[in-house]
Amino acid sequence: MSYNSTLDGFCGSKFWDSNLTWYTDSPELTPCFQKTVLIWIPCLYLWVTALFDMYYILHSKERNIPWNLLNISKLAITCLLIVVKFVDLGVTVHNSSQDDSIVYNADYYSPIIKIFTFGLSATLLYYNRKFGMRASGVLFFFWLLLILAGLPQLRSEVIRHYQMEDDENVKYNFISYMVYYPLIVLMFILNCFADLPPKDTPYKYEKNQCPESASGFPSRLTFSWFDPLALTGFRRSLTDNDLWALNPPDSSIEVVPRFDKFWERSLMKREDSNGTKATYSKTSASVNFKPESEKQPASILPALCLAFGGQFLFGALLKLINDTLMFLSPQILKLLIGFVEGNEPDWKGYLYAIALLACATIQTLLLAHYFTRMYLVGMRIRTALTSAIYRKSLRMSNSARKESTVGEIVNLMAVDAQRFIELTAYLNMIWSAPLQIALALYFLWGILGPSVLAGLAVMIILIPVNGLIANRVKTLQIKQMKYKDERVKLMNEVLNGIKVLKMYAWEPSFEDQVLKIRNKEMNVLKQTAYLNSATSFIWSCAPFLVTFLTFFTYVVSVDNNKLTATNTFVSISLFYTIHLPLGLLPLVVVSAIETSVGIKRLNKFMNSDELDDSAVEHDPKEPNPLLIENGHFSWGAKDSDPVLKNINLHIPRGSLVAIVGAVGSGKSSLLSALLGEMNKVSGRVNTHGSIAYVPQQAWIQNATLQDNILFGKPLDKHKYNNVISVCALKTDFDMLPGGDQTEIGEKGINLSGGQKQRVSLARAVYYDADNYFLDDPLSAVDSHVGKHIFDKVIGPNGLLKSKSRVWVTHNVSYLAQTDLVIVLRDGEVSEAGTYQQLLEKKGAFAEFLLHHLSDAERTSPEELNEIKQDLETKLGSEFHNKLQRARSLSESNSESDQTAAGDRAGSVKRRTPDDVTQNELKEKNKLIETEKTETGSVKWGVYKHYLMSVGVLASVVTVLMNLVLQVFQVGSNYWLAEWSNDETMIVNGTVDTNKRDMYLGVYGGLGIGQVVSVSVSSLALYVGALRAAGALHDGLLAGVLRAPTIGFFDCTPVGRVLNRFSKDVDVLDNVLPMTLRGWTTCFFAVLGTLFVISYSTPIFLAVIVPIGVVYYVIQRFYVATSRQLKRLESVSRSPIYSHFGESITGASTIRAYGVTQRFIKESERGVDHNQSCYYPSCIANRWLAVRLEMIGNLIIFFAAVLAVLGRETINPGLVGLSISYALQITQTLNWLVRMTSEVETNIVAVERIKEYAETEQEAAWTIAGSGPGSTWPETGALQLERLSLGYRAGEPALRDLTCAVPPRDKLAIVGRTGAGKSTLTLGLFRIVEAMSGKILIDGIDISTIGLHQLRSRITIIPQDPVLFSGTLRMNLDPFEAYTDEQLWRSLEHAHLKNFVKGLPSGLLHEISEGGENLSVGQRQLVCLARALLRKTPLLVLDEATAAVDLETDELIQKTIRSEFASCTVLTIAHRLNTIMDSTRVMVLDKGQLVEYAPPEQLLQDKNSIFYSMAKDAGLVN
């Protein structure tokens, strides 16, 4: 007791008196204790934690909060307190000068310490204001501690004042304290509010600032500043405008430079350590340089740790404190049970109850802020990495770029960088879990001794068992993924070829194929379900086994060991704390390993080669703007063979240089060399002036057309309109629904090739650079458009005539107008000179001209004549034959040349009137109706639909077994309570073994009951959920395959339907069963807990109701807001990745134009926007956690208080039971809300699937009983009676068609584009239903029979050949209705027999997706073979518009004439020369029948439409 005596001397009175403080009904602390410890603790706290504030002040970038009422009053009160303490000190000194009184040291020290500490707090206040810190946690806690520490003194001052009123000292002390205490309370209240925002700040806020910085410290502690957003989200759907701007320290502008600084450092270090180490070997007397590949790559890990480690360590500190506090509650529980057993004064019980509440509350707040810290660190890491990856991808060299696909690089960003966020929150478990387990074991050992080891052994044994199961589940998952991919791939093909499938009536066959794969998938899922229920079986019997074995060993090993309420329930709650870390540890380790793999991949990427910036010099003194001297260039690594050799180029300012050569001679590479994209092996390249580049494959951004052309330059209306008209885009813009405000899909999906190329050219022209690199920009446009562009833009009189232009081309006809022609051959310049000079040489150039003559044939013939003459003199009659062939090829394009600008967009809608504003236009021209996103909570109907799919039995069994499980669990714990309260166990000092064994036996039995009920309930749930998944998928598949083409497939993008088949079905298969399982477990656990507490202390029921109401309200708020935040976050995430993918593909264009910085900024803006959606959803999580755990803490508190109140009537076993249950409830409640919101989020999948499964269907496939005979149609005669067909309600596309086609007739249907030719075939197949009138085939009205009965009896050879992946045999005969012999015969007639015979697997040859591994001609022939196989009396031939190579075309024509001579053939003609021998021609115009007669007859009439078409095609002279 030495320190006591020192302190006794220090105070002049006793320091600690247990009789006064503890063993009494009215506890008091000695005056000495009040003067020393209670004053020192808060002051010491402030001196230590002031360091945190110092750190902040030093690092703050903001300055000068204006003086205002709040901070002035804070300073004033602090000064007042200092004055009060000085007066105290004066009085003490005055007293000491009186002779009669002795004053001890303590009386001097306490005011002096306080004066200094208040001085410090005033200093902190002043500097916080100066450095822009609006709310200080350090000061908040300081004043709070002062208030708490001052409470005992307040009590004793009041008591003393009443007892000894006359004593002057007592009077003075009382008054001084009554001034002091309200002042510190007032200071505490003032510290609850935040100061005004600082005047000087480097940050700019775009939108509403985050309220966090403007909120006081208590509000930050409990996340109350999130309330307004939660309220908004509950009232209505959140939008982007409701979200706050990101806090500046989390935004890219701050985070990226910080990471870059450390990353640069590690790169420098790597350079130093890997500085070319030369090794000299004596034997061979040579110096070896260390090769590139051996270099140690720099790792991103150290850079990340240095940049973001501080925050992380602070979080780890919070976690450490929290972990230590976890073990306080069981100790308090021990005291509380002891209190109920014994007869101590009441105040101790209340003290324990308050201690439990305080302990739980502090834990709650610590954990919440720990997670927030960790999520913030994760966010910052993700921002830094995303930006680093993006910058790197724009600097990568081509050889490095080739090593990985765009998808893989995007994955680095999407998956590997994302992993960090998920890991940071749990990474601390690696040290925290072992710590928690060790602490728990230490305390358990104290209670139960070595018996603990029995329980521990079970836990340790279960870890590898779990590992095994997890591994097995993983392999099954991989298997399931494989089947899923197969199924989705097949669905993709089915959806893409749905029109053909419907025309062939092949849907049933493909439905079976999909279901076959689906069944395999379901089998794997079933196995997974059994394994999952095994896991849940293990997890549920683990806690029971552990407690059972431990107690068993404890009572059996030593005869006199008896279970008491204390040791039973304290150990149960300790075992419960071990449970979670044990479960998490393996998961965290796995996750850490995955992340480390990710880090390896990121390191490899971040260390890959970069383009050499110094390869191209920019010396403005050079006379020529573009020059290459003795250039050797290669793609790929330094030592690979050069692609371009001995290049010498001097391009004078303002000249037009054409580069020509055969395919693969290095024309595009030459441009890349000038741009610095290739590896310069040797030589010198110099360019000066800005550059515009038009690549061969146009790179179009996902933005409006106008943005694509402006490319970041400001809009100059006059210049812009000029550019559009010279690039021939005016007409295209007029045809597009939104004009130049039309949104272009990814990769320019809704533009034709020629339009893309012209947009790309317009971008270059508008950019107004000094040098133009044009890589064959006219390849995809029509001849007359090409001529227009050449004359107006590229040529000697074009817009660019004053610029230097390097132009790669195949267009022979314009070469005469260029200043210089360079001919490349195998990467070398074979000839260079003007057009005339080269022609006279008769060298490579003349040869090149011949090659490209057919191209030129299509341009205007006048220009060609010269070239023909030039060549004819040199080559004689050789090329007459070649010209012949080229002509008929060009004819096939006569149809597509009819629109004004040479090529049309996919679907051309009417131009909207001009008075519409741009934004409305943007809305109108969105390609496709937007997807419905359900807002608000999910309808009950959906749950009902799902439960019906699960099956009544499974649902009922699940619920019942869960109830039974709770009965067993609660029962076994009750049994423990009974056992521990049994006073009759010990007879004459020894334990009654029979009784003991009875207790053990029943306890074991109850445990077995738990295990069985868990297994049954989880199995029932998994099996039921799988059954539902199966049923829902089948319904979806059937619904989609039976949906009409017009009205469903033409206005729903394939991706959206596929998404239902992949994402939503996956949710049904894997996510929903797990979430439902979690939800039921939590729900029933909460019920069980509430039941136990209410049973042991019935008055608790009164508390449940208000708490339940609060709980429900919070839960509704959270679920509503959190769901929307999640949605906003995922919506804002995809643009980052698509912008990234786009930038990788367009990297060379971005570099050529020199706009890298702008793209980096754009990417960072996207990331920031995404993070500003992600941050509130993290906060929402914590907001919820704090509120729910506070409810849980209140439940603990009430359970404890009620136990104290009822201590006379209640036995200690029940107290232990009810509080150890209550201690678990915080976590369970938290999980219950999460699970509820998970279930709500995921049940949406059911809703989306239900929507498509119930979409409107086309007519019945077969109509039983009313079908035509099996031989119908015998003759194939066709009659149309006043037929009108239309796509949507409104304008019919064909009006009032009446005609008759006799059997075996060959009818040709002709007409200009959009005349309704194709509509007629769609009507025949009832893809479009007749609006009025009817179609009769062999006298039967086709609208009276089933669709398949109709479609399987007429044959079509479609325009574009669609093949499916699978065998060739399946592509010809999916129903396996024909013999091999018949198949071979049809192949022979289709001229494919030799080809198929030559294949190693013959008919079983695997065809890849879309028939990629056959040529277009062969695909066309396969479609012909299909038709030959069916050979029905009615054949519809939709001619291919694309120029199929001539041989194939002739083969098809010949076969049709010979093989289908006995059938009625309807040909939709695009080329007239093939139908001149048909028996009749039907000419359609604007949806009406205008001419119907044999072709000869129509040709006689010079005014007929047919005649004018024939003339255009050059068939009549």
Side-chain angles (χ1 to χ4, degrees), residues 1119-1143:
V1119 170
T1121 308
S1122 141
R1123 185 174 336 102
Q1124 321 223 29
L1125 286 172
K1126 271 214 183 84
R1127 202 178 67 233
L1128 285 175
E1129 197 263 331
S1130 62
V1131 166
S1132 68
R1133 190 186 303 172
S1134 41
I1136 302 179
Y1137 303 142
S1138 59
H1139 176 252
F1140 181 40
E1142 208 170 69
S1143 306

PDB file of all heavy atoms in Angstrom, residues 1119-1143:
ATOM      1  N   VAL A1119     -33.637   0.606 -45.784  1.00  0.00           N
ATOM      2  CA  VAL A1119     -33.802  -0.237 -46.978  1.00  0.00           C
ATOM      3  C   VAL A1119     -34.120   0.635 -48.187  1.00  0.00           C
ATOM      4  O   VAL A1119     -33.544   0.472 -49.263  1.00  0.00           O
ATOM      5  CB  VAL A1119     -34.898  -1.291 -46.742  1.00  0.00           C
ATOM      6  CG1 VAL A1119     -35.240  -1.983 -48.035  1.00  0.00           C
ATOM      7  CG2 VAL A1119     -34.417  -2.311 -45.739  1.00  0.00           C
ATOM      8  N   ALA A1120     -35.016   1.624 -47.997  1.00  0.00           N
ATOM      9  CA  ALA A1120     -35.383   2.473 -49.134  1.00  0.00           C
ATOM     10  C   ALA A1120     -34.167   3.221 -49.667  1.00  0.00           C
ATOM     11  O   ALA A1120     -33.873   3.193 -50.860  1.00  0.00           O
ATOM     12  CB  ALA A1120     -36.461   3.456 -48.707  1.00  0.00           C
ATOM     13  N   THR A1121     -33.446   3.880 -48.762  1.00  0.00           N
ATOM     14  CA  THR A1121     -32.324   4.710 -49.212  1.00  0.00           C
ATOM     15  C   THR A1121     -31.192   3.864 -49.750  1.00  0.00           C
ATOM     16  O   THR A1121     -30.632   4.137 -50.799  1.00  0.00           O
ATOM     17  CB  THR A1121     -31.821   5.569 -48.032  1.00  0.00           C
ATOM     18  OG1 THR A1121     -32.932   6.242 -47.485  1.00  0.00           O
ATOM     19  CG2 THR A1121     -30.805   6.572 -48.486  1.00  0.00           C
ATOM     20  N   SER A1122     -30.868   2.792 -49.012  1.00  0.00           N
ATOM     21  CA  SER A1122     -29.704   2.011 -49.391  1.00  0.00           C
ATOM     22  C   SER A1122     -29.898   1.377 -50.763  1.00  0.00           C
ATOM     23  O   SER A1122     -28.984   1.326 -51.572  1.00  0.00           O
ATOM     24  CB  SER A1122     -29.451   0.949 -48.328  1.00  0.00           C
ATOM     25  OG  SER A1122     -29.064  -0.245 -48.900  1.00  0.00           O
ATOM     26  N   ARG A1123     -31.129   0.927 -51.060  1.00  0.00           N
ATOM     27  CA  ARG A1123     -31.338   0.280 -52.354  1.00  0.00           C
ATOM     28  C   ARG A1123     -31.055   1.262 -53.486  1.00  0.00           C
ATOM     29  O   ARG A1123     -30.419   0.953 -54.485  1.00  0.00           O
ATOM     30  CB  ARG A1123     -32.745  -0.294 -52.455  1.00  0.00           C
ATOM     31  CG  ARG A1123     -32.880  -1.055 -53.745  1.00  0.00           C
ATOM     32  CD  ARG A1123     -34.135  -1.837 -54.011  1.00  0.00           C
ATOM     33  NE  ARG A1123     -34.904  -2.255 -52.890  1.00  0.00           N
ATOM     34  CZ  ARG A1123     -36.013  -1.629 -52.513  1.00  0.00           C
ATOM     35  NH1 ARG A1123     -36.417  -0.548 -53.128  1.00  0.00           N
ATOM     36  NH2 ARG A1123     -36.715  -2.079 -51.521  1.00  0.00           N
ATOM     37  N   GLN A1124     -31.556   2.507 -53.300  1.00  0.00           N
ATOM     38  CA  GLN A1124     -31.350   3.486 -54.375  1.00  0.00           C
ATOM     39  C   GLN A1124     -29.895   3.871 -54.515  1.00  0.00           C
ATOM     40  O   GLN A1124     -29.405   4.082 -55.613  1.00  0.00           O
ATOM     41  CB  GLN A1124     -32.141   4.733 -54.067  1.00  0.00           C
ATOM     42  CG  GLN A1124     -33.447   4.329 -53.478  1.00  0.00           C
ATOM     43  CD  GLN A1124     -34.552   5.119 -54.026  1.00  0.00           C
ATOM     44  OE1 GLN A1124     -34.468   5.564 -55.148  1.00  0.00           O
ATOM     45  NE2 GLN A1124     -35.561   5.300 -53.235  1.00  0.00           N
ATOM     46  N   LEU A1125     -29.208   4.003 -53.355  1.00  0.00           N
ATOM     47  CA  LEU A1125     -27.788   4.360 -53.425  1.00  0.00           C
ATOM     48  C   LEU A1125     -27.018   3.277 -54.162  1.00  0.00           C
ATOM     49  O   LEU A1125     -26.178   3.559 -55.000  1.00  0.00           O
ATOM     50  CB  LEU A1125     -27.216   4.543 -52.019  1.00  0.00           C
ATOM     51  CG  LEU A1125     -27.644   5.829 -51.313  1.00  0.00           C
ATOM     52  CD1 LEU A1125     -27.199   5.813 -49.879  1.00  0.00           C
ATOM     53  CD2 LEU A1125     -27.064   7.040 -52.026  1.00  0.00           C
ATOM     54  N   LYS A1126     -27.358   2.017 -53.852  1.00  0.00           N
ATOM     55  CA  LYS A1126     -26.684   0.913 -54.545  1.00  0.00           C
ATOM     56  C   LYS A1126     -26.922   1.017 -56.034  1.00  0.00           C
ATOM     57  O   LYS A1126     -26.025   0.798 -56.846  1.00  0.00           O
ATOM     58  CB  LYS A1126     -27.240  -0.422 -54.048  1.00  0.00           C
ATOM     59  CG  LYS A1126     -26.517  -0.964 -52.853  1.00  0.00           C
ATOM     60  CD  LYS A1126     -26.479  -2.499 -52.922  1.00  0.00           C
ATOM     61  CE  LYS A1126     -25.816  -3.090 -51.709  1.00  0.00           C
ATOM     62  NZ  LYS A1126     -26.706  -3.258 -50.568  1.00  0.00           N
ATOM     63  N   ARG A1127     -28.182   1.330 -56.403  1.00  0.00           N
ATOM     64  CA  ARG A1127     -28.488   1.406 -57.826  1.00  0.00           C
ATOM     65  C   ARG A1127     -27.713   2.541 -58.482  1.00  0.00           C
ATOM     66  O   ARG A1127     -27.108   2.358 -59.540  1.00  0.00           O
ATOM     67  CB  ARG A1127     -29.990   1.579 -58.034  1.00  0.00           C
ATOM     68  CG  ARG A1127     -30.403   1.126 -59.424  1.00  0.00           C
ATOM     69  CD  ARG A1127     -31.882   1.222 -59.669  1.00  0.00           C
ATOM     70  NE  ARG A1127     -32.318   2.593 -59.695  1.00  0.00           N
ATOM     71  CZ  ARG A1127     -33.309   3.056 -58.958  1.00  0.00           C
ATOM     72  NH1 ARG A1127     -33.926   2.260 -58.128  1.00  0.00           N
ATOM     73  NH2 ARG A1127     -33.675   4.303 -59.055  1.00  0.00           N
ATOM     74  N   LEU A1128     -27.706   3.711 -57.823  1.00  0.00           N
ATOM     75  CA  LEU A1128     -26.963   4.843 -58.393  1.00  0.00           C
ATOM     76  C   LEU A1128     -25.494   4.479 -58.541  1.00  0.00           C
ATOM     77  O   LEU A1128     -24.848   4.836 -59.526  1.00  0.00           O
ATOM     78  CB  LEU A1128     -27.085   6.071 -57.483  1.00  0.00           C
ATOM     79  CG  LEU A1128     -28.422   6.798 -57.522  1.00  0.00           C
ATOM     80  CD1 LEU A1128     -28.443   7.907 -56.488  1.00  0.00           C
ATOM     81  CD2 LEU A1128     -28.664   7.393 -58.903  1.00  0.00           C
ATOM     82  N   GLU A1129     -24.979   3.742 -57.549  1.00  0.00           N
ATOM     83  CA  GLU A1129     -23.557   3.400 -57.586  1.00  0.00           C
ATOM     84  C   GLU A1129     -23.282   2.485 -58.772  1.00  0.00           C
ATOM     85  O   GLU A1129     -22.332   2.685 -59.509  1.00  0.00           O
ATOM     86  CB  GLU A1129     -23.170   2.717 -56.270  1.00  0.00           C
ATOM     87  CG  GLU A1129     -21.685   2.687 -56.028  1.00  0.00           C
ATOM     88  CD  GLU A1129     -21.024   1.389 -56.442  1.00  0.00           C
ATOM     89  OE1 GLU A1129     -21.699   0.348 -56.396  1.00  0.00           O
ATOM     90  OE2 GLU A1129     -19.848   1.431 -56.816  1.00  0.00           O
ATOM     91  N   SER A1130     -24.145   1.486 -58.980  1.00  0.00           N
ATOM     92  CA  SER A1130     -23.832   0.553 -60.078  1.00  0.00           C
ATOM     93  C   SER A1130     -24.054   1.225 -61.428  1.00  0.00           C
ATOM     94  O   SER A1130     -23.359   0.941 -62.385  1.00  0.00           O
ATOM     95  CB  SER A1130     -24.637  -0.740 -59.947  1.00  0.00           C
ATOM     96  OG  SER A1130     -25.991  -0.440 -60.024  1.00  0.00           O
ATOM     97  N   VAL A1131     -25.032   2.149 -61.488  1.00  0.00           N
ATOM     98  CA  VAL A1131     -25.243   2.861 -62.755  1.00  0.00           C
ATOM     99  C   VAL A1131     -24.036   3.737 -63.066  1.00  0.00           C
ATOM    100  O   VAL A1131     -23.615   3.859 -64.212  1.00  0.00           O
ATOM    101  CB  VAL A1131     -26.518   3.747 -62.663  1.00  0.00           C
ATOM    102  CG1 VAL A1131     -26.571   4.736 -63.791  1.00  0.00           C
ATOM    103  CG2 VAL A1131     -27.752   2.864 -62.688  1.00  0.00           C
ATOM    104  N   SER A1132     -23.438   4.336 -62.006  1.00  0.00           N
ATOM    105  CA  SER A1132     -22.324   5.246 -62.278  1.00  0.00           C
ATOM    106  C   SER A1132     -21.023   4.485 -62.447  1.00  0.00           C
ATOM    107  O   SER A1132     -20.007   5.055 -62.790  1.00  0.00           O
ATOM    108  CB  SER A1132     -22.176   6.248 -61.140  1.00  0.00           C
ATOM    109  OG  SER A1132     -21.757   5.582 -59.974  1.00  0.00           O
ATOM    110  N   ARG A1133     -21.053   3.164 -62.183  1.00  0.00           N
ATOM    111  CA  ARG A1133     -19.796   2.431 -62.295  1.00  0.00           C
ATOM    112  C   ARG A1133     -19.496   2.050 -63.742  1.00  0.00           C
ATOM    113  O   ARG A1133     -18.369   2.143 -64.197  1.00  0.00           O
ATOM    114  CB  ARG A1133     -19.829   1.173 -61.436  1.00  0.00           C
ATOM    115  CG  ARG A1133     -18.453   0.539 -61.337  1.00  0.00           C
ATOM    116  CD  ARG A1133     -18.446  -0.768 -60.632  1.00  0.00           C
ATOM    117  NE  ARG A1133     -19.001  -0.640 -59.284  1.00  0.00           N
ATOM    118  CZ  ARG A1133     -19.249  -1.692 -58.529  1.00  0.00           C
ATOM    119  NH1 ARG A1133     -19.037  -2.894 -58.984  1.00  0.00           N
ATOM    120  NH2 ARG A1133     -19.742  -1.541 -57.328  1.00  0.00           N
ATOM    121  N   SER A1134     -20.543   1.631 -64.477  1.00  0.00           N
ATOM    122  CA  SER A1134     -20.256   1.127 -65.831  1.00  0.00           C
ATOM    123  C   SER A1134     -19.649   2.178 -66.766  1.00  0.00           C
ATOM    124  O   SER A1134     -18.819   1.820 -67.578  1.00  0.00           O
ATOM    125  CB  SER A1134     -21.487   0.463 -66.434  1.00  0.00           C
ATOM    126  OG  SER A1134     -22.621   1.215 -66.138  1.00  0.00           O
ATOM    127  N   PRO A1135     -20.045   3.478 -66.686  1.00  0.00           N
ATOM    128  CA  PRO A1135     -19.378   4.425 -67.591  1.00  0.00           C
ATOM    129  C   PRO A1135     -17.866   4.481 -67.393  1.00  0.00           C
ATOM    130  O   PRO A1135     -17.137   4.688 -68.365  1.00  0.00           O
ATOM    131  CB  PRO A1135     -20.004   5.772 -67.222  1.00  0.00           C
ATOM    132  CG  PRO A1135     -21.291   5.452 -66.599  1.00  0.00           C
ATOM    133  CD  PRO A1135     -21.131   4.121 -65.946  1.00  0.00           C
ATOM    134  N   ILE A1136     -17.379   4.253 -66.173  1.00  0.00           N
ATOM    135  CA  ILE A1136     -15.920   4.286 -65.968  1.00  0.00           C
ATOM    136  C   ILE A1136     -15.281   3.228 -66.848  1.00  0.00           C
ATOM    137  O   ILE A1136     -14.337   3.486 -67.582  1.00  0.00           O
ATOM    138  CB  ILE A1136     -15.555   3.966 -64.504  1.00  0.00           C
ATOM    139  CG1 ILE A1136     -16.214   4.955 -63.564  1.00  0.00           C
ATOM    140  CG2 ILE A1136     -14.055   3.983 -64.302  1.00  0.00           C
ATOM    141  CD1 ILE A1136     -15.927   4.678 -62.110  1.00  0.00           C
ATOM    142  N   TYR A1137     -15.848   2.009 -66.777  1.00  0.00           N
ATOM    143  CA  TYR A1137     -15.223   0.909 -67.508  1.00  0.00           C
ATOM    144  C   TYR A1137     -15.409   1.073 -69.007  1.00  0.00           C
ATOM    145  O   TYR A1137     -14.513   0.764 -69.781  1.00  0.00           O
ATOM    146  CB  TYR A1137     -15.788  -0.436 -67.029  1.00  0.00           C
ATOM    147  CG  TYR A1137     -15.625  -0.643 -65.554  1.00  0.00           C
ATOM    148  CD1 TYR A1137     -16.593  -1.262 -64.789  1.00  0.00           C
ATOM    149  CD2 TYR A1137     -14.479  -0.166 -64.910  1.00  0.00           C
ATOM    150  CE1 TYR A1137     -16.435  -1.428 -63.422  1.00  0.00           C
ATOM    151  CE2 TYR A1137     -14.316  -0.328 -63.544  1.00  0.00           C
ATOM    152  CZ  TYR A1137     -15.294  -0.956 -62.807  1.00  0.00           C
ATOM    153  OH  TYR A1137     -15.134  -1.108 -61.461  1.00  0.00           O
ATOM    154  N   SER A1138     -16.584   1.568 -69.428  1.00  0.00           N
ATOM    155  CA  SER A1138     -16.760   1.675 -70.880  1.00  0.00           C
ATOM    156  C   SER A1138     -15.876   2.794 -71.426  1.00  0.00           C
ATOM    157  O   SER A1138     -15.293   2.661 -72.491  1.00  0.00           O
ATOM    158  CB  SER A1138     -18.234   1.860 -71.257  1.00  0.00           C
ATOM    159  OG  SER A1138     -18.742   2.998 -70.655  1.00  0.00           O
ATOM    160  N   HIS A1139     -15.722   3.872 -70.656  1.00  0.00           N
ATOM    161  CA  HIS A1139     -14.830   4.957 -71.084  1.00  0.00           C
ATOM    162  C   HIS A1139     -13.402   4.440 -71.145  1.00  0.00           C
ATOM    163  O   HIS A1139     -12.640   4.775 -72.063  1.00  0.00           O
ATOM    164  CB  HIS A1139     -14.920   6.120 -70.098  1.00  0.00           C
ATOM    165  CG  HIS A1139     -13.986   7.253 -70.389  1.00  0.00           C
ATOM    166  ND1 HIS A1139     -12.882   7.517 -69.632  1.00  0.00           N
ATOM    167  CD2 HIS A1139     -13.981   8.181 -71.365  1.00  0.00           C
ATOM    168  CE1 HIS A1139     -12.236   8.560 -70.130  1.00  0.00           C
ATOM    169  NE2 HIS A1139     -12.884   8.983 -71.175  1.00  0.00           N
ATOM    170  N   PHE A1140     -13.055   3.583 -70.200  1.00  0.00           N
ATOM    171  CA  PHE A1140     -11.710   3.028 -70.168  1.00  0.00           C
ATOM    172  C   PHE A1140     -11.462   2.145 -71.388  1.00  0.00           C
ATOM    173  O   PHE A1140     -10.478   2.294 -72.094  1.00  0.00           O
ATOM    174  CB  PHE A1140     -11.549   2.230 -68.875  1.00  0.00           C
ATOM    175  CG  PHE A1140     -10.185   1.622 -68.689  1.00  0.00           C
ATOM    176  CD1 PHE A1140      -9.045   2.321 -69.032  1.00  0.00           C
ATOM    177  CD2 PHE A1140     -10.055   0.356 -68.156  1.00  0.00           C
ATOM    178  CE1 PHE A1140      -7.797   1.763 -68.844  1.00  0.00           C
ATOM    179  CE2 PHE A1140      -8.814  -0.206 -67.975  1.00  0.00           C
ATOM    180  CZ  PHE A1140      -7.675   0.494 -68.309  1.00  0.00           C
ATOM    181  N   GLY A1141     -12.427   1.225 -71.629  1.00  0.00           N
ATOM    182  CA  GLY A1141     -12.285   0.329 -72.776  1.00  0.00           C
ATOM    183  C   GLY A1141     -12.162   1.117 -74.068  1.00  0.00           C
ATOM    184  O   GLY A1141     -11.357   0.810 -74.953  1.00  0.00           O
ATOM    185  N   GLU A1142     -12.975   2.173 -74.147  1.00  0.00           N
ATOM    186  CA  GLU A1142     -12.985   3.028 -75.330  1.00  0.00           C
ATOM    187  C   GLU A1142     -11.628   3.708 -75.503  1.00  0.00           C
ATOM    188  O   GLU A1142     -11.087   3.772 -76.603  1.00  0.00           O
ATOM    189  CB  GLU A1142     -14.046   4.089 -75.078  1.00  0.00           C
ATOM    190  CG  GLU A1142     -14.702   4.651 -76.272  1.00  0.00           C
ATOM    191  CD  GLU A1142     -15.889   5.496 -75.827  1.00  0.00           C
ATOM    192  OE1 GLU A1142     -15.695   6.554 -75.233  1.00  0.00           O
ATOM    193  OE2 GLU A1142     -17.016   5.057 -76.058  1.00  0.00           O
ATOM    194  N   SER A1143     -11.089   4.200 -74.388  1.00  0.00           N
ATOM    195  CA  SER A1143      -9.812   4.906 -74.463  1.00  0.00           C
ATOM    196  C   SER A1143      -8.689   3.965 -74.885  1.00  0.00           C
ATOM    197  O   SER A1143      -7.772   4.378 -75.585  1.00  0.00           O
ATOM    198  CB  SER A1143      -9.443   5.508 -73.114  1.00  0.00           C
ATOM    199  OG  SER A1143     -10.485   6.297 -72.647  1.00  0.00           O
TER     200      SER A1143
END
